[in-house]
Amino acid sequence: MERIVLSLLVDNTSGVLSRVAGLFSRRGYNIESLTVGVTADERYSRMTVVSTGEPEILDQIEKQLRKLEDVRDIKELKPGSSVYRELILVKVRANASERQAVSAIADIFRATVVDVGKDSLTVMLTGDQSKLDALINLLEDYDILELARTGVTGLSRGAEDVRHLP
């Protein structure tokens, strides 16, 4: 199984997300991660879609996405020529005596403590998937109360392949 990360530039209109997700579900393809947000030009949104499968299936996914009328551009974000990031929020049970230790773990990863409660801390971290997994691994010694991950988002490096739409 291989992994593909696609950056889609799509029309910023209602139903686009449904049509993209529907393409995957109708064909039995899995979406590992999906993020969407408006671009600097409010007419367009950028979707970052991560999927896994055999090379032929991944090629078919890209071809099918190109056929959707809402999709204006597609780039495959390859590991060496792209930047990927993900955000995670982790709420950990931590009493007064444990807060220092949890904060020290957060500091190792350059994570930020974004909320402190009487018996919990919430840590925020951005980075690649392996960095986030490593943080979770260390925090498993504590009681993880809640965890939320945004999914992968990314852009290609440099300005050579930037597409400007009219």
Side-chain angles (χ1 to χ4, degrees), residues 32-57:
E32 186 178 296
S33 171
L34 174 66
T35 60
V36 184
V38 70
T39 65
D41 184 339
E42 292 181 6
R43 297 176 298 166
Y44 305 105
S45 292
R46 181 164 312 277
M47 289 184 178
T48 305
V49 182
V50 181
S51 190
T52 54
E54 297 301 322
E56 306 80 39
I57 297 295

Side-chain angles (χ1 to χ4, degrees), residues 105-145:
I105 292 170
D107 289 344
I108 291 168
F109 290 90
R110 294 191 181 119
T112 306
V113 175
V114 293
D115 186 60
V116 179
K118 184 177 176 183
D119 56 359
S120 69
L121 287 176
T122 302
V123 176
M124 177 182 72
L125 176 64
T126 58
D128 63 25
Q129 211 166 10
S130 62
K131 183 177 182 180
L132 276 56
D133 291 342
L135 174 68
I136 292 168
N137 187 42
L138 286 178
L139 291 177
E140 283 179 345
D141 291 340
Y142 301 89
D143 186 13
I144 296 177
L145 300 172

Side-chain angles (χ1 to χ4, degrees), residues 12-164:
N12 185 16
T13 56
S14 62
V16 176
L17 176 59
S18 177
R19 286 186 283 282
V20 169
L23 182 146
F24 279 80
S25 66
R26 281 190 307 276
R27 289 166 177 78
Y29 303 148
N30 185 44
I31 297 175
E32 186 178 296
S33 171
L34 174 66
T35 60
V36 184
V38 70
T39 65
D41 184 339
E42 292 181 6
R43 297 176 298 166
Y44 305 105
S45 292
R46 181 164 312 277
M47 289 184 178
T48 305
V49 182
V50 181
S51 190
T52 54
E54 297 301 322
E56 306 80 39
I57 297 295
L58 298 179
D59 186 51
Q60 191 64 30
I61 288 171
E62 187 172 347
K63 287 178 182 174
Q64 293 295 320
L65 286 169
R66 286 189 189 282
K67 290 180 181 180
L68 295 177
E69 66 182 57
D70 302 306
V71 175
R72 300 295 172 206
D73 189 39
I74 297 179
K75 291 181 201 170
E76 181 179 350
L77 300 180
K78 298 190 183 241
S81 59
S82 304
V83 178
Y84 309 140
R85 292 293 180 268
E86 187 174 356
L87 176 125
I88 189 170
L89 293 171
V90 185
K91 186 185 296 181
V92 180
R93 185 180 313 280
N95 59 34
S97 63
E98 295 171 317
R99 282 190 202 123
Q100 186 65 32
V102 173
S103 291
I105 292 170
D107 289 344
I108 291 168
F109 290 90
R110 294 191 181 119
T112 306
V113 175
V114 293
D115 186 60
V116 179
K118 184 177 176 183
D119 56 359
S120 69
L121 287 176
T122 302
V123 176
M124 177 182 72
L125 176 64
T126 58
D128 63 25
Q129 211 166 10
S130 62
K131 183 177 182 180
L132 276 56
D133 291 342
L135 174 68
I136 292 168
N137 187 42
L138 286 178
L139 291 177
E140 283 179 345
D141 291 340
Y142 301 89
D143 186 13
I144 296 177
L145 300 172
E146 290 183 292
L147 183 146
R149 292 177 85 146
T150 60
V152 174
T153 192
L155 293 172
S156 58
R157 294 185 186 274
E160 294 78 38
D161 67 348
V162 174
R163 181 167 177 200
H164 297 283

